[in-house]
């Protein structure tokens, strides 16, 4: 699996409680009505400090992507790794792995939905799949 | 309060041996570059009363160089870290210190030794090592680790928005190599064609190997002092006419300009305004070119062509030797050497002095220098001239 393991800290505990339950949580500012990425400490539009965790629809579109070619070493070839910037319907961007994606279907604006995978020794992590 | 007419100049330049030079530390390189720059200026180390140190990716040298150099009673001293914008920042802070009477002669140095014998260049920049803890680690965990893939997503946005092509990125690489062939100090001097670029292996689609800069061991130092003192020294002074910084603070959300517009769009006009000149008056461009795409988007943001027309501009031959807009005249970071912002700054000093030999650009009255750090996150600009401002 291309995903590297991530462990939680106090700040991210609610986020990873969410991913374990198949939910994507973002940061939401009641004062501005705007959504920010999960790592945000302040509202990405107003810099308000009233962010709270709120569930995202998990639906979005592809903003951009890159493909890191697979490598062959000791007669073992690793697959290409596709990483995309996904714009969620609520507005925030996430950089996510697109596992087993059909590369010919990659297109800016393509519909994406968030899924979750759990690398060994890791929390459940969000990934993206073309919808 | 603002400084409309800076009265400072770059009077010394020191460049060490570059590239695959092993067995020497960043501090070793820094000491050589500093002593070389001070001698170049016709000064001695005892004249230096200010020092700014920018360590590279290995972060293994710092302001304790003061002790290494035997400096005493230094009046301004700091380790500066603005990544690729550091060189421009250091010259700005040196100028401010001199203008304020805090120091008379300030040395700015970048030094790094990330290359190890027998290791690939890519291994020198593996991506920021960080504990994979918390939501801030998610992009890294997904595979967005090192600079090539992080710039690649920006480059693809530009390609999609403006129709920019890989061949146009290739034109930047080919132009840089053509300049490098005229530079005896460039690491990569063998001929390169657009076909070579297109055939080079993909590093992070859409960026190929020949879209990526070199990795170098070495150091570069410059000496900054007042224009008055500069007039008495050994080298032709390179006067500092203007400067700017801009750090966009991209937010990861809808409407982000990441990949499309960089800090150059603000720091460039700020520097030009301070210099009192228009972009059309610039004779030479020394652009931070960690990737071919970076050159292209920076030229757009500085206003050398319209936004979105950078691809056609570079493919026209404008930036190559003999072109209308000489750019990265030493070969840049793509083909000459990778000393972060000291690569464009060092070549700017050489060109402004008129000491570039075979690659010297005939009209070199105004040189624009960019610095770019992070993933288009941090930007600095300098406007340099062999002439004192306003005379």
């Amino acid at each position: 699996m291309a995903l590297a393991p991530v462990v939680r800290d106090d700040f991210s505990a609610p986020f990873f409680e969410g991913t374990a339950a198949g939910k994507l949580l973002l940061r939401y500012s009641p004062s501005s009505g705007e959504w920010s990425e999960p790592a945000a400490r302040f509202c990405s539009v107003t810099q308000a400090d009233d962010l709270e965790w709120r569930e995202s629809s998990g639906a979005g579109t592809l903003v951009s992507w890159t493909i890191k070619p697979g490598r062959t070493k000791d007669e073992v070839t690793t697959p290409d790794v596709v990483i995309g910037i996904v714009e969620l319907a609520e507005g925030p961007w996430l950089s996510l792995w697109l596992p087993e994606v059909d590369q010919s279907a990659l297109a800016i604006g393509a519909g994406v939905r968030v899924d979750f995978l759990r690398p060994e020794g890791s929390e459940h992590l969000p990934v993206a799949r073309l919808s | 309060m603002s400084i409309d007419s800076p009265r400072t100049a770059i009077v010394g330049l020191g460049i060490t041996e570059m590239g695959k030079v092993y067995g020497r530390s960043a501090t070793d390189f820094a000491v050589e570059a500093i002593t070389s720059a001070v001698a170049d200026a016709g000064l001695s180390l005892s004249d230096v009363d200010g020092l700014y140190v920018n360590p590279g990716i290995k972060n293994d040298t710092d302001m304790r160089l003061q002790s290494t150099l035997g400096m005493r009673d230094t009046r301004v001293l700091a380790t500066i870290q603005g990544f690729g914008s550091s060189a421009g920042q250091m010259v700005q802070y040196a100028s401010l210190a001199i203008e304020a009477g805090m120091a008379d002669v300030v040395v700015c140095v970048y030094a790094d030794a990330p290359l190890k014998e027998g290791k690939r260049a890519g291994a020198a920049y593996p991506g920021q090592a960080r504990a994979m803890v918390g939501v801030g680690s998610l992009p890294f965990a997904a595979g967005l680790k090192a600079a090539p893939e992080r710039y690649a997503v920006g480059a693809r946005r530009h390609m999609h928005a403006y129709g920019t092509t890989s061949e146009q990125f290739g034109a930047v690489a080919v132009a840089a190599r053509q300049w490098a062939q005229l530079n005896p100090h460039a690491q990569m001097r063998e001929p390169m064609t657009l076909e070579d670029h297109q055939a080079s292996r993909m590093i992070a689609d859409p960026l190929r190997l020949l879209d990526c800069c070199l990795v170098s061991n070495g150091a570069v130092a410059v000496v900054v002092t007042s224009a008055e003192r500069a007039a008495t020294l050994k080298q032709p002074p390179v006067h500092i006419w203007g400067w700017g910084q801009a750090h966009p603070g991209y937010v990861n959300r809808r409407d982000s300009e990441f990949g499309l517009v960089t800090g150059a769009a603000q720091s460039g006009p700020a520097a030009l305004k301070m210099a009192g000149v228009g972009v059309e008056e610039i004779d030479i461009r020394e652009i931070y070119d960690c990737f071919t795409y970076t050159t292209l988007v920076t030229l757009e943001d500085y206003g050398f062509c319209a936004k979105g027309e950078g691809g056609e501009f570079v493919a026209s031959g404008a930036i190559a030797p003999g072109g209308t807009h000489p750019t990265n005249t030493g070969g840049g970071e793509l083909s000459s050497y990778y000393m972060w912002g000291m690569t464009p700054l060092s070549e700017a000093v050489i060109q402004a002095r008129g000491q570039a030999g075979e690659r010297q650009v005939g009209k070199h009255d105004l040189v624009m220098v960019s610095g770019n750090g992070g993933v288009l996150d941090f930007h600095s600009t300098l406007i340099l001239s062999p002439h004192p401002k306003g005379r």
Side-chain angles (χ1 to χ4, degrees):
Chain A
M1 185 183 294
L3 278 179
V6 176
V7 297
R8 71 176 65 188
D9 54 14
D10 288 350
F11 178 84
S12 62
F15 178 84
F16 289 121
E17 289 295 322
T19 58
K23 298 175 182 176
L24 178 69
L25 300 186
L26 301 174
R27 304 291 279 164
Y28 178 78
S29 166
S31 65
S32 70
E34 300 284 354
W35 299 69
S36 300
E37 62 177 318
R41 260 61 173 179
F42 297 90
C43 173
S44 57
V45 176
T46 66
Q47 290 183 283
D49 62 356
D50 60 348
L51 299 187
E52 58 187 39
W53 293 105
R54 192 171 287 197
E55 186 176 351
S56 158
S57 64
T61 56
L62 199 56
V63 170
S64 187
W65 76 92
T66 184
I67 304 169
K68 295 201 291 185
R71 297 269 188 264
T72 300
K73 188 177 180 184
D74 299 331
E75 298 181 358
V76 176
T77 301
T78 58
D80 294 351
V81 176
V82 180
I83 309 136
I85 297 177
V86 171
E87 181 173 305
L88 293 159
E90 295 83 2
W93 287 3
L94 294 183
S95 296
L96 300 173
W97 180 39
L98 286 91
E100 299 163 0
V101 68
D102 173 5
Q103 294 182 14
S104 67
L106 291 167
I108 290 176
V112 166
R113 65 181 170 79
V114 173
D115 192 7
F116 302 93
L117 293 174
R118 187 177 196 184
E120 189 175 343
S122 174
E123 300 286 351
H124 289 78
L125 304 183
V127 297
R129 300 190 190 276
L130 295 180
S131 54
Chain B
M1 189 178 80
S2 63
I3 296 174
D4 294 327
S5 296
R7 299 275 302 144
T8 54
I10 297 171
V11 294
L13 172 65
I15 303 176
T16 67
E17 192 180 1
M18 288 290 170
K20 296 176 180 176
V21 184
Y22 303 117
R24 301 175 65 187
S25 68
T27 296
D28 294 337
F29 284 119
V31 168
E32 181 189 332
I34 291 167
T35 52
S36 171
V38 170
D40 180 60
L43 294 166
S44 65
L45 268 180
S46 60
D47 293 310
V48 177
D49 58 0
L51 176 63
Y52 291 130
V53 182
N54 172 218
I57 194 73
K58 290 300 175 189
N59 201 31
D60 56 0
T61 191
D62 57 34
M63 62 184 179
R64 287 173 288 186
L65 271 173
Q66 179 201 25
S67 300
T68 309
L69 292 162
M71 293 171 64
R72 304 279 188 279
D73 302 321
T74 308
R75 297 168 71 196
V76 296
L77 176 65
T79 305
I80 301 286
Q81 191 51 278
F83 299 137
S85 70
S86 304
Q89 289 198 32
M90 289 192 293
V91 169
Q92 294 172 26
Y93 302 142
S95 293
L96 288 168
I98 292 162
E99 295 270 6
M102 295 174 69
D104 293 322
V105 177
V106 182
V107 171
C108 309
V109 65
Y110 167 89
D112 203 7
L115 287 175
K116 302 299 175 200
E117 198 159 11
K119 300 275 190 184
R120 291 181 302 110
Y125 275 70
Q128 237 177 324
R130 62 175 73 182
M132 301 294 275
V133 178
V135 284
S137 303
L138 292 176
F140 197 88
L144 222 48
K145 298 175 182 174
E149 53 260 30
R150 298 170 75 88
Y151 274 85
V153 289
R156 188 182 300 284
R157 274 204 101 194
H158 196 281
M159 295 169 88
H160 177 75
Y162 303 118
T164 312
T165 66
S166 173
E167 289 80 0
Q168 290 169 340
F169 292 151
V172 175
V174 170
R177 184 61 59 88
Q178 289 172 341
W179 283 112
Q181 287 181 277
L182 305 174
N183 180 2
H185 301 296
Q187 284 179 232
M188 305 293 283
R189 301 186 62 205
E190 62 273 31
M192 182 214 294
T193 65
L194 189 57
E195 291 70 31
D196 294 330
H197 172 271
Q198 290 293 294
S200 66
R201 68 184 168 89
M202 198 65 82
I203 299 296
D205 191 352
L207 298 179
R208 300 176 177 280
L209 178 67
L210 293 179
D211 288 308
C212 304
C213 67
L214 304 166
V215 178
S216 310
N217 290 352
V220 177
V222 295
V223 182
V224 183
T225 191
S226 66
E228 289 75 16
R229 188 161 187 181
T232 69
L233 296 176
K234 184 174 156 189
Q235 292 288 352
V238 177
H239 295 273
I240 300 163
W241 279 33
W243 61 68
Q245 291 185 35
H247 313 288
Y250 296 113
V251 289
N252 287 316
R253 60 167 289 121
R254 180 185 296 143
D255 301 329
S256 171
E257 291 187 314
F258 171 73
L260 306 179
V261 180
T262 74
Q266 293 182 62
S267 80
L272 289 164
K273 183 181 177 189
M274 185 174 180
V277 300
V279 70
E280 71 283 353
E281 296 178 72
I282 298 296
D283 299 310
I284 303 171
R285 289 134 288 275
E286 302 299 346
I287 306 293
Y288 194 98
D289 57 340
C290 49
F291 297 95
T292 52
Y293 150 72
T294 319
T295 304
L296 189 154
V297 73
T298 305
L299 288 168
E300 287 180 355
D301 289 338
Y302 274 167
F304 291 106
C305 60
K307 174 51 70 180
E309 295 180 5
E312 290 177 28
F313 181 70
V314 299
S316 73
I319 66 172
T324 56
H325 290 69
T327 299
N328 292 356
T329 52
E333 296 169 329
L334 293 168
S335 281
S336 183
Y337 47 81
Y338 184 57
M339 289 282 111
W340 285 12
M342 282 295 185
T343 300
L345 178 58
S346 56
E347 177 65 12
V349 171
I350 293 166
Q351 287 284 347
R353 285 177 174 180
Q355 296 175 345
E358 198 181 352
R359 69 184 189 282
Q360 179 65 49
V361 176
K363 190 168 184 303
H364 53 93
D365 296 324
L366 286 169
V367 186
M368 193 162 182
V369 187
S370 84
N372 161 68
V375 187
L376 308 170
D377 295 300
F378 314 110
H379 204 277
S380 63
T381 302
L382 297 173
I383 309 287
L384 306 178
S385 174
H387 313 294
K389 190 180 172 194
R391 292 184 188 174

